[in-house]
Structures are given as structure tokens and as C-alpha cells.
């Protein structure tokens, strides 16, 4: 189904990494460093991917330690991030937010590094709320912070997690490389 152009929405919410900027984070190294946190706590985490390690961190009481490790890598990546072409659109809409799987501090750092922070009204990272995309809560929290109804917003992202979060939140969605094409809207 064809949806209105971005300009016709009251708010645009952007994903960060892969949409506005590219954070040069070596996720394999991050996963290894996080696995070391588990090993130091006497928990075997061999062969577990990073998202599963985050879940295990919640179950094992290691969330703060794991977040510290991941956030350190993300903040470093944010400092060295590459601005992507779609960042040039930030600041052109009535209300704008960022909803990301990266930690909030890394998001704010990347926005600052690229001069985008004055144009973004809300930033919700992986650590801002208790759940992560594709759960709709991070996106809904972003919209609450900018006081916009889900039906009046569009989420622009680069992943199936982004698309699923939008669908579950009742928000129109556009892949970053097809902002003017058809998009998914929850019913």
C-alpha cells in the first residue's frame, strides 16, 4: 500500500546505526569481551550471540557489567562514526526522534559529532527502557517524549527489527533506502 511522504507525518523517528550514521564497531570483539564478563562470573557463554548474551545478562544479574562493555565499544564507534546521506534530512520535519539498539549515550555522541543533536527532540537507546526492538516500547517511548500519536509518525530504519517494532507499535515504516516507496503500517 502507498503511504504518504515523510513530510505528511507529524513526526519522523530515525534508527541510528545504518540509517543516519555508521558506527564502526567490531561486534565480534564486543561479543568476545561480553563473553569474558560471563567467564569471569563462572558462567559458560561460549558460542552465544550478543543478543542472547544480553538476555542471559538479565537472567544472570550481569546486565550492568555487560552494558558497560557494550556501551564502551559503541561510544568509541560513535566518536569515529561516518555520517550517512540520510542524515542530511534530519531537521526537516516537525518533530524528530532517534530510536536505536545502541546505548543512548552512544546515540547522543554520534548525533553531537555530526551536528544533528539540535534537530532531534528525543533519543531512546537500548538502555533507556527495559525492552529492545523489535519490542514496540522503545519506539512508543520515543513518540511519548515528542508527544506524537503512533498513527501520526513514521519510523525510518534499516532492519527487520526496525520494521517489526514499527508494525507492533502501529507506526508507519520505511526502509532507509526506500523512504518514498511503499511501507508497512500496522492495522
Amino acid at each position: 500500500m502507498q503511504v504518504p511522504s515523510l513530510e505528511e507525518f507529524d513526526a519522523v523517528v530515525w534508527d541510528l546505526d545504518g540509517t543516519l550514521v555508521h558506527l564502526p564497531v567490531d561486534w565480534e570483539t564486543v561479543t568476545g569481551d561480553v563473553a569474558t564478563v560471563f567467564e569471569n562470573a563462572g558462567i559458560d557463554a561460549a558460542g552465544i550471540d550478543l543478543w542472547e548474551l544480553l538476555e542471559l545478562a538479565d537472567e544472570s544479574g550481569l546486565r550492568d557489567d555487560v552494558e558497560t562493555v557494550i556501551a564502551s565499544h559503541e561510544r568509541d564507534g560513535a566518536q569515529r562514526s561516518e555520517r550517512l546521506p540520510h542524515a542530511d534530512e534530519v531537521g526537516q520535519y516537525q518533530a524528530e526522534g532517534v530510536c536505536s539498539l545502541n546505548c543512548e549515550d552512544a546515540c547522543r555522541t554520534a548525533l553531537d559529532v555530526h551536528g544533528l543533536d539540535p534537530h532531534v527532540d528525543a533519543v531512546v537507546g537500548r538502555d533507556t527502557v527495559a525492552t529492545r526492538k523489535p519490542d514496540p516500547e522503545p519506539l512508543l517511548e520515543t513518540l511519548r517524549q515528542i508527544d506524537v500519536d503512533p498513527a501520526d509518525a513514521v519510523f525510518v530504519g534499516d532492519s527487520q527489527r526496525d520494521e517489526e517494532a514499527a508494525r507492533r507499535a502501529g507506526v508507519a515504516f520505511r526502509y532507509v533506502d526506500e523512504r518514498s516507496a511503499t511501507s508497512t503500517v500496522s492495522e
Side-chain angles (χ1 to χ4, degrees):
M1 115 179 175
Q2 190 70 25
V3 296
S5 67
L6 295 184
E7 294 81 9
E8 295 181 41
F9 289 95
D10 290 345
V12 176
V13 177
W14 305 95
D15 172 53
L16 182 76
D17 191 19
T19 301
L20 299 178
V21 301
H22 168 69
L23 272 61
V25 175
D26 181 344
W27 293 107
E28 194 170 304
T29 298
V30 175
T31 302
D33 290 351
V34 169
T36 299
V37 170
F38 285 96
E39 289 171 23
N40 291 340
I43 300 170
D44 181 17
I48 301 175
D49 76 23
L50 187 58
W51 296 116
E52 291 171 322
L53 287 172
L54 276 168
E55 297 299 325
L56 183 59
D58 289 336
E59 298 165 14
S60 305
L62 295 173
R63 180 59 179 252
D64 290 342
D65 294 334
V66 166
E67 279 292 344
T68 297
V69 169
I70 297 170
S72 174
H73 285 278
E74 290 174 332
R75 280 191 299 275
D76 181 55
Q79 287 289 341
R80 299 178 295 112
S81 62
E82 171 190 345
R83 182 182 173 115
L84 297 176
H86 308 294
D88 294 341
E89 295 180 42
V90 173
Q92 297 180 19
Y93 305 100
Q94 192 173 352
E96 296 181 62
V98 166
C99 179
S100 177
L101 280 172
N102 297 107
C103 71
E104 182 177 337
D105 189 47
C107 294
R108 291 185 182 282
T109 298
L111 293 170
D112 181 57
V113 164
H114 297 287
L116 302 172
D117 52 327
H119 308 292
V120 175
D121 306 303
V123 176
V124 173
R126 177 188 63 250
D127 54 344
T128 307
V129 296
T131 61
R132 296 177 293 280
K133 298 182 293 182
D135 188 282
E137 184 55 27
L139 181 55
L140 292 170
E141 176 60 21
T142 308
L143 294 173
R144 281 192 290 274
Q145 288 185 23
I146 57 179
D147 197 27
V148 173
D149 188 86
D152 298 326
V154 60
F155 185 34
V156 180
D158 69 328
S159 72
Q160 288 181 329
R161 280 180 182 267
D162 294 335
E163 182 178 28
E164 179 68 10
R167 185 190 64 74
R168 292 172 67 189
V171 174
F173 178 78
R174 300 279 174 74
Y175 275 99
V176 70
D177 58 352
E178 59 183 4
R179 291 173 322 284
S180 60
T182 59
S183 61
T184 304
V185 180
S186 177
E187 299 179 27

